[in-house]
Coordinates of all heavy atoms in Angstrom, one line a residue:
F71 N -65.7 -42.6 50.4 CA -64.3 -42.7 50.7 C -64.0 -43.6 51.9 O -63.0 -44.3 52.0 CB -63.7 -41.3 50.9 CG -62.2 -41.3 51.3 CD1 -61.2 -41.6 50.4 CD2 -61.9 -41.0 52.6 CE1 -59.9 -41.6 50.8 CE2 -60.5 -41.0 53.0 CZ -59.5 -41.3 52.1
V72 N -64.9 -43.5 52.9 CA -64.7 -44.2 54.1 C -65.4 -45.6 54.1 O -64.9 -46.6 54.5 CB -65.2 -43.4 55.3 CG1 -65.2 -44.2 56.6 CG2 -64.4 -42.2 55.5
A73 N -66.6 -45.6 53.6 CA -67.5 -46.8 53.7 C -68.2 -47.2 52.4 O -68.9 -46.3 51.9 CB -68.5 -46.6 54.8
E74 N -67.9 -48.3 52.0 CA -68.7 -48.9 50.9 C -70.1 -49.1 51.3 O -70.3 -49.5 52.5 CB -68.1 -50.2 50.4 CG -66.7 -50.0 49.8 CD -66.7 -49.2 48.5 OE1 -67.8 -49.2 47.8 OE2 -65.7 -48.6 48.2
K75 N -71.1 -48.9 50.5 CA -72.5 -49.1 50.9 C -72.8 -50.4 51.5 O -73.7 -50.6 52.3 CB -73.4 -48.8 49.7 CG -73.3 -47.3 49.3 CD -74.3 -47.0 48.1 CE -74.2 -45.5 47.7 NZ -75.1 -45.3 46.6
L76 N -72.1 -51.5 51.0 CA -72.4 -52.8 51.5 C -71.7 -53.2 52.7 O -71.9 -54.3 53.3 CB -72.2 -53.8 50.4 CG -73.0 -53.6 49.1 CD1 -72.6 -54.7 48.1 CD2 -74.5 -53.7 49.4
S77 N -70.8 -52.4 53.2 CA -69.9 -52.7 54.3 C -70.5 -52.2 55.6 O -70.4 -51.0 55.9 CB -68.5 -52.2 54.1 OG -67.7 -52.4 55.3
I78 N -71.1 -53.0 56.4 CA -71.6 -52.6 57.7 C -70.5 -52.2 58.6 O -70.6 -51.2 59.4 CB -72.5 -53.7 58.3 CG1 -73.7 -54.0 57.4 CG2 -72.9 -53.3 59.7 CD1 -74.5 -55.2 57.9
F79 N -69.4 -52.9 58.6 CA -68.3 -52.5 59.5 C -67.7 -51.1 59.2 O -67.6 -50.3 60.1 CB -67.2 -53.6 59.3 CG -65.9 -53.3 60.1 CD1 -65.9 -53.6 61.4 CD2 -64.8 -52.7 59.5 CE1 -64.8 -53.3 62.2 CE2 -63.7 -52.4 60.2 CZ -63.7 -52.7 61.6
D80 N -67.5 -50.8 57.9 CA -66.9 -49.5 57.6 C -67.9 -48.3 58.0 O -67.4 -47.2 58.3 CB -66.6 -49.4 56.1 CG -65.4 -50.2 55.8 OD1 -64.6 -50.6 56.7 OD2 -65.1 -50.5 54.6
T81 N -69.2 -48.5 57.9 CA -70.1 -47.4 58.2 C -70.0 -47.0 59.7 O -70.4 -45.9 60.0 CB -71.6 -47.8 57.9 OG1 -71.9 -49.0 58.6 CG2 -71.8 -48.1 56.4
E82 N -69.4 -47.9 60.5 CA -69.2 -47.5 61.9 C -68.3 -46.2 62.0 O -68.5 -45.4 62.9 CB -68.6 -48.6 62.7 CG -69.4 -49.8 62.9 CD -70.6 -49.6 63.8 OE1 -70.3 -49.2 65.0 OE2 -71.7 -49.7 63.4
Y83 N -67.4 -46.1 61.1 CA -66.5 -44.9 61.1 C -67.2 -43.6 60.9 O -66.7 -42.5 61.3 CB -65.4 -45.0 60.0 CG -64.4 -46.1 60.3 CD1 -64.3 -47.2 59.5 CD2 -63.5 -45.9 61.3 CE1 -63.3 -48.2 59.7 CE2 -62.5 -46.8 61.6 CZ -62.4 -48.0 60.8 OH -61.4 -48.9 61.0
L84 N -68.4 -43.6 60.3 CA -69.1 -42.4 60.0 C -70.0 -41.9 61.2 O -70.6 -40.9 61.0 CB -70.0 -42.6 58.7 CG -69.2 -43.0 57.5 CD1 -70.2 -43.2 56.3 CD2 -68.2 -41.9 57.1
K85 N -70.0 -42.6 62.3 CA -70.8 -42.2 63.4 C -70.6 -40.8 63.9 O -71.6 -40.1 64.2 CB -70.6 -43.2 64.6 CG -71.4 -44.5 64.4 CD -71.2 -45.4 65.6 CE -72.1 -46.6 65.5 NZ -72.0 -47.4 66.8
P86 N -69.4 -40.3 63.9 CA -69.2 -38.9 64.3 C -70.0 -37.9 63.5 O -70.3 -36.8 63.9 CB -67.7 -38.6 64.2 CG -67.1 -40.0 64.4 CD -68.1 -40.9 63.6
F87 N -70.2 -38.3 62.2 CA -71.0 -37.4 61.3 C -72.5 -37.7 61.3 O -73.3 -36.8 61.1 CB -70.4 -37.5 59.9 CG -69.0 -37.0 59.8 CD1 -67.9 -37.9 59.8 CD2 -68.7 -35.7 59.7 CE1 -66.6 -37.5 59.7 CE2 -67.4 -35.2 59.5 CZ -66.4 -36.1 59.6
V88 N -72.8 -39.0 61.4 CA -74.2 -39.4 61.3 C -74.9 -39.4 62.6 O -76.1 -39.0 62.6 CB -74.2 -40.8 60.6 CG1 -75.6 -41.3 60.5 CG2 -73.5 -40.7 59.2
E89 N -74.4 -40.0 63.6 CA -75.0 -40.1 64.9 C -74.5 -39.1 65.9 O -73.3 -39.3 66.3 CB -74.9 -41.5 65.4 CG -75.6 -42.5 64.4 CD -75.5 -44.0 64.9 OE1 -75.1 -44.1 66.1 OE2 -75.7 -44.9 64.2
R90 N -75.2 -38.2 66.3 CA -74.7 -37.1 67.2 C -75.2 -37.4 68.6 O -76.4 -37.3 69.0 CB -75.2 -35.8 66.8 CG -74.8 -35.4 65.3 CD -73.2 -35.5 65.2 NE -72.7 -35.2 63.9 CZ -72.6 -33.9 63.4 NH1 -73.1 -32.9 64.1 NH2 -72.0 -33.7 62.3
G91 N -74.2 -37.7 69.5 CA -74.5 -37.9 70.9 C -74.8 -36.6 71.6 O -74.5 -35.5 71.1
S92 N -75.2 -36.7 72.9 CA -75.6 -35.6 73.6 C -74.3 -34.7 74.0 O -74.5 -33.5 74.3 CB -76.3 -36.0 74.9 OG -75.4 -36.8 75.7
N93 N -73.2 -35.3 73.9 CA -71.9 -34.6 74.3 C -71.2 -34.1 73.0 O -70.1 -33.6 73.1 CB -71.0 -35.4 75.1 CG -70.5 -36.7 74.3 OD1 -71.2 -37.1 73.4 ND2 -69.4 -37.3 74.8
F94 N -71.9 -34.2 71.8 CA -71.2 -33.8 70.6 C -71.3 -32.3 70.4 O -72.2 -31.7 70.7 CB -71.9 -34.5 69.4 CG -71.4 -34.0 68.1 CD1 -70.3 -34.6 67.5 CD2 -72.0 -33.0 67.4 CE1 -69.7 -34.2 66.3 CE2 -71.4 -32.5 66.2 CZ -70.3 -33.1 65.7
K95 N -70.2 -31.8 69.8 CA -70.2 -30.4 69.3 C -69.3 -30.4 68.1 O -68.3 -31.1 68.0 CB -69.7 -29.4 70.4 CG -68.5 -29.8 71.2 CD -68.3 -28.9 72.4 CE -67.0 -29.2 73.1 NZ -66.9 -30.6 73.6
N96 N -69.6 -29.4 67.2 CA -68.8 -29.4 66.0 C -67.4 -28.9 66.2 O -66.5 -29.3 65.5 CB -69.5 -28.4 65.0 CG -70.8 -28.9 64.5 OD1 -71.8 -28.7 65.2 ND2 -70.8 -29.5 63.3
R97 N -67.2 -28.1 67.2 CA -65.8 -27.6 67.5 C -65.1 -28.5 68.4 O -65.6 -29.0 69.5 CB -65.9 -26.2 68.2 CG -64.6 -25.7 68.7 CD -64.7 -24.4 69.4 NE -63.5 -23.9 70.0 CZ -63.0 -24.2 71.2 NH1 -63.6 -25.1 72.0 NH2 -61.8 -23.7 71.6
I98 N -63.8 -28.8 68.1 CA -62.9 -29.6 68.9 C -61.8 -28.6 69.3 O -61.0 -28.3 68.5 CB -62.4 -30.8 68.2 CG1 -63.5 -31.7 67.7 CG2 -61.4 -31.6 69.1 CD1 -63.1 -32.7 66.6
G99 N -61.9 -28.1 70.5 CA -61.0 -27.1 71.0 C -59.6 -27.6 71.1 O -59.3 -28.7 71.5
R100 N -58.6 -26.7 71.0 CA -57.2 -27.0 71.1 C -56.9 -27.5 72.5 O -55.9 -28.1 72.7 CB -56.4 -25.8 70.7 CG -56.7 -24.5 71.6 CD -56.2 -23.3 70.9 NE -56.5 -22.1 71.7 CZ -57.7 -21.5 71.8 NH1 -58.7 -22.1 71.0 NH2 -58.0 -20.5 72.5
E101 N -57.7 -27.1 73.5 CA -57.5 -27.5 74.8 C -57.9 -28.9 75.1 O -57.5 -29.5 76.2 CB -58.2 -26.5 75.8 CG -59.7 -26.7 75.8 CD -60.5 -26.1 74.6 OE1 -59.8 -25.4 73.8 OE2 -61.7 -26.2 74.5
E102 N -58.6 -29.6 74.2 CA -59.1 -30.9 74.5 C -58.0 -31.9 74.2 O -57.2 -31.8 73.3 CB -60.4 -31.2 73.6 CG -61.5 -30.2 74.0 CD -62.8 -30.5 73.2 OE1 -63.1 -31.7 73.0 OE2 -63.4 -29.5 72.7
E103 N -58.0 -33.0 75.0 CA -57.0 -34.0 74.9 C -56.8 -34.6 73.5 O -55.7 -34.8 73.0 CB -57.2 -35.1 75.9 CG -56.1 -36.1 76.0 CD -56.4 -37.2 77.1 OE1 -57.4 -37.0 77.9 OE2 -55.7 -38.2 77.1
V104 N -57.9 -34.9 72.8 CA -57.9 -35.5 71.5 C -57.5 -34.6 70.4 O -57.0 -35.0 69.4 CB -59.3 -36.1 71.2 CG1 -60.3 -35.0 70.9 CG2 -59.3 -37.1 70.1
S105 N -57.5 -33.3 70.6 CA -57.2 -32.3 69.6 C -55.8 -32.5 69.0 O -55.6 -32.4 67.8 CB -57.4 -30.9 70.1 OG -57.1 -29.9 69.2
G106 N -54.8 -32.6 69.9 CA -53.4 -32.7 69.4 C -53.2 -33.9 68.5 O -52.5 -33.8 67.5
E107 N -53.8 -35.0 68.9 CA -53.7 -36.3 68.1 C -54.3 -36.1 66.7 O -53.8 -36.6 65.7 CB -54.3 -37.4 68.8 CG -53.6 -37.8 70.1 CD -54.2 -39.1 70.7 OE1 -54.1 -40.2 70.2 OE2 -54.9 -38.9 71.8
I108 N -55.5 -35.5 66.7 CA -56.1 -35.2 65.4 C -55.3 -34.3 64.5 O -55.2 -34.6 63.3 CB -57.6 -34.7 65.7 CG1 -58.4 -35.8 66.3 CG2 -58.2 -34.3 64.3 CD1 -59.8 -35.3 66.7
R109 N -54.8 -33.2 65.1 CA -54.0 -32.3 64.3 C -52.8 -33.0 63.7 O -52.4 -32.8 62.5 CB -53.6 -31.1 65.1 CG -54.7 -30.1 65.5 CD -54.1 -28.8 65.9 NE -53.1 -28.9 67.0 CZ -53.4 -29.0 68.3 NH1 -54.6 -28.9 68.7 NH2 -52.4 -29.1 69.2
S110 N -52.2 -33.8 64.5 CA -51.0 -34.5 64.0 C -51.3 -35.4 62.8 O -50.6 -35.5 61.8 CB -50.4 -35.4 65.2 OG -49.3 -36.2 64.7
S111 N -52.5 -36.1 62.9 CA -52.9 -37.0 61.8 C -53.3 -36.2 60.6 O -53.0 -36.6 59.4 CB -54.1 -37.8 62.2 OG -53.7 -38.8 63.2
I112 N -53.9 -35.0 60.8 CA -54.2 -34.1 59.6 C -53.0 -33.7 58.9 O -52.9 -33.7 57.7 CB -55.0 -32.9 60.1 CG1 -56.4 -33.4 60.6 CG2 -55.2 -31.9 59.0 CD1 -57.3 -32.3 61.2

């Protein structure tokens, strides 16, 4: 849905699911700055 297999550019969008940084966690708390923006988009 996000990335065609041949599109290197689109696969960048999948990094939050594919490449987990040291500061990654599955939960995005309501207190976090990015949370409100994500909820609005959902």
